[in-house]
């Protein structure tokens, strides 16, 4: 699968690169190894105003998760396209569905509370 991993930090977007690594490998990168991985399913080749709005809202919580984008319109992500073509943005937390269409901030806050 094709991923784009972005790290937000104090000074905005610090790193952005493309990789085919597994999501579990994301945790080994950067300085936030114990944080959950938030995946935003979006499109790369078409405008998505709802996705842009979701990204803006997610920036408020950037210190609480590792962030990645999965472009459903890439051929390698056909499975995700079939699932989410009418629903983006879709957000997963640690590879589990969390929400779609917009960021529900209350749900996100609850989901980001550590359970251990």
């Amino acid at each position: 699968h094709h991923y784009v991993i972005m790290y937000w930090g104090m000074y905005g977007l610090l790193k952005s690169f493309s990789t085919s690594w597994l999501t579990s490998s994301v945790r080994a990168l950067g300085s936030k190894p114990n944080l959950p991985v938030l995946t935003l399913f979006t499109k790369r080749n078409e405008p998505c105003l709802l996705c842009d709005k979701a990204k803006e809202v997610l920036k408020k919580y950037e210190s609480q998760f590792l962030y990645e984008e999965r472009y459903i319109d890439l051929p390698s992500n056909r499975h995700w396209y079939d699932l989410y073509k009418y629903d983006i943005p879709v957000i997963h937390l640690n590879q589990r569905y969390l929400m779609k269409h917009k960021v529900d901030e209350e749900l996100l806050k609850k989901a980001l509370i550590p359970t251990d």
Side-chain angles (χ1 to χ4, degrees):
H1 295 285
H2 184 84
Y3 300 94
V4 172
I5 301 168
M6 297 178 180
Y7 293 94
W8 285 318
M10 289 176 41
Y11 305 104
L13 187 59
L14 296 177
K15 279 188 177 177
S16 175
F17 56 93
S18 196
T19 180
S20 60
W21 297 338
L22 298 173
T23 302
S24 60
S25 299
V26 173
R27 294 179 183 274
L29 302 172
S31 60
K32 303 190 261 186
N34 296 321
L35 295 179
V37 176
L38 185 137
T39 305
L40 177 72
F41 292 83
T42 185
K43 290 184 179 177
R44 182 179 202 164
N45 299 316
E46 295 178 33
C48 176
L49 297 177
L50 291 176
C51 300
D52 294 341
K53 175 66 176 164
K55 290 176 195 180
E56 287 299 314
V57 174
L58 291 172
K59 282 184 184 181
K60 292 191 271 185
Y61 304 94
E62 66 192 14
S63 66
Q64 299 178 49
F65 53 78
L66 295 175
Y67 177 81
E68 70 177 11
E69 288 183 3
R70 184 158 317 160
Y71 297 121
I72 66 169
D73 54 344
L74 295 178
S76 60
N77 288 329
R78 181 66 187 193
H79 168 76
W80 299 114
Y81 178 82
D82 291 342
L83 281 174
Y84 296 143
K85 61 186 165 194
Y86 302 118
D87 292 319
I88 62 167
V90 175
I91 296 172
H92 284 197
L93 191 64
N94 287 335
Q95 301 178 356
R96 291 191 170 155
Y97 172 84
L98 185 61
M99 63 187 79
K100 64 182 176 181
H101 301 152
K102 66 178 189 168
V103 177
D104 177 332
E105 291 188 65
E106 292 305 312
L107 178 59
L108 180 62
K109 288 179 204 175
K110 288 177 187 173
L112 290 172
I113 295 172
T115 57
D116 39 63

